[in-house]
Amino acid sequence: MTIPLVVANWKMNKTVSDATVLVEKFLEIAPLSLQVEVALAPPFVALYTVGALLANTPYKFAAQNVFWESEGAYTGEISPPMLRDLGCHYVILGHSERRQIFRETNGEVNNKVLSVLKHNLFPILCVGETLGERENNRITAVIKEQLLTSLRGVSDQEIQNVTIAYEPVWAIGTGHAASVAQVEEVHQFIRKTIDSQWGQQLDTRILYGGSVSPTNAGELFGSDQVNGALVGKACLDPESFAKLINLASPNT
Ligand code: PGA
């Protein structure tokens, strides 16, 4: 069975001081023996502090983005070796906010995916359609393009280190998550696309993201198509994040 993964995407929230308070509170109440893998993705400036607080706990930490070059004259950027040196595990790539606000293309996401894999980090590739694309029956076309372009050149070996997060843009930050039926339909399509491209039955972990909360998580995690969640708003409150982890645990 695939162990579920729950990732806390803090987005551009929390100063380093706030992050310390949040993680300390979270560690007081969070379950310590896990049947769920958990990663916290604070902003870059808080990664070191959060990583230090999570040392000797079962929790991992993740970055929300990265640049593809290893070093050099790229003012304002952060490289995969810098993240690796901190002990960072996952890197969220291709989030819809990066695609929409910062105009990231599938080609750029592809460069990042390849670089992250090369430096022994684990990409969480976000894909998902907008409301307009859903209404125009373009869900599978959009997601297929996002998957195949962003993962171009990934080897049979490397694909096993890739996690996909299905995040319908219309569900993010709206308080209205996709229904389990909607999620299952797209997750099945994602799995089929990856398996047929890499020509094998892979155990790819596919997360759902978009207004996941303690209210709807039980139902979402109840689906065998959902291998965990990428959570924004609900993970900024340590109690609700701890609840989500419990709900994701296979025995609850
Ligand atoms: P949300 O964000 O849970 O606040 O909808 C999810 C995400 O953008 O990853």
Side-chain angles (χ1 to χ4, degrees):
M1 203 200 81
T2 317
I3 297 173
L5 169 65
V6 181
V7 182
N9 176 11
W10 291 12
K11 308 193 179 185
M12 197 179 71
N13 290 295
K14 307 289 174 190
T15 61
V16 175
S17 321
D18 296 339
T20 306
V21 173
L22 195 164
V23 174
E24 279 173 351
K25 175 78 186 158
F26 170 73
L27 290 175
E28 268 169 36
I29 58 174
L32 271 184
S33 110
L34 294 183
Q35 291 164 302
V36 180
E37 201 181 328
V38 176
L40 276 62
F44 282 132
V45 288
L47 271 178
Y48 178 82
T49 306
V50 169
L53 289 166
L54 295 179
N56 305 316
T57 77
Y59 301 104
K60 298 186 167 99
F61 59 102
Q64 300 174 19
N65 182 32
V66 77
F67 189 52
W68 56 80
E69 295 290 351
S70 301
E71 61 184 356
Y74 304 102
T75 302
E77 296 296 326
I78 301 286
S79 76
M82 293 173 183
L83 297 179
R84 177 102 191 116
D85 180 61
L86 279 184
C88 185
H89 193 84
Y90 290 103
V91 185
I92 300 169
L93 293 175
H95 190 280
S96 64
E97 285 149 18
R98 298 225 49 92
R99 293 175 186 272
Q100 294 197 324
I101 304 167
F102 302 100
R103 299 268 164 249
E104 255 184 38
T105 64
N106 285 323
E108 287 166 340
V109 176
N110 180 231
N111 288 340
K112 294 181 178 191
V113 167
L114 294 175
S115 179
V116 158
L117 287 167
K118 188 173 128 208
H119 290 96
N120 299 315
L121 292 156
F122 295 78
I124 299 173
L125 171 66
C126 302
V127 296
E129 80 287 358
T130 63
L131 188 57
E133 288 161 346
R134 175 166 280 265
E135 285 170 352
N136 289 309
N137 289 325
R138 299 202 55 243
I139 306 173
T140 53
V142 167
I143 289 179
K144 188 170 182 185
E145 168 74 12
Q146 289 173 337
L147 285 173
L148 297 187
T149 308
S150 308
L151 295 174
R152 193 187 288 144
V154 171
S155 70
D156 289 356
Q157 193 68 35
E158 289 170 329
I159 192 71
Q160 297 177 36
N161 293 339
V162 174
T163 299
I164 308 293
Y166 169 49
E167 295 213 312
V169 180
W170 48 271
I172 295 176
T174 59
H176 302 289
S179 69
V180 174
Q182 287 170 323
V183 174
E184 286 182 335
E185 197 183 358
V186 179
H187 280 212
Q188 272 159 358
F189 174 75
I190 292 172
R191 193 168 298 289
K192 202 178 77 190
T193 306
I194 291 192
D195 284 356
S196 64
Q197 184 67 18
W198 276 267
Q200 51 180 312
Q201 291 280 109
L202 290 158
D203 235 358
T204 308
R205 207 146 45 172
I206 307 177
L207 316 181
Y208 167 75
S211 296
V212 174
S213 72
T215 317
N216 58 30
E219 207 191 340
L220 286 160
F221 294 143
S223 165
D224 61 4
Q225 290 294 322
V226 179
N227 309 125
L230 181 52
V231 187
K233 192 157 178 250
C235 66
L236 294 173
D237 170 42
E239 274 163 25
S240 92
F241 190 51
K243 267 191 214 150
L244 285 176
I245 296 170
N246 280 319
L247 287 166
S249 172
N251 287 340
T252 53

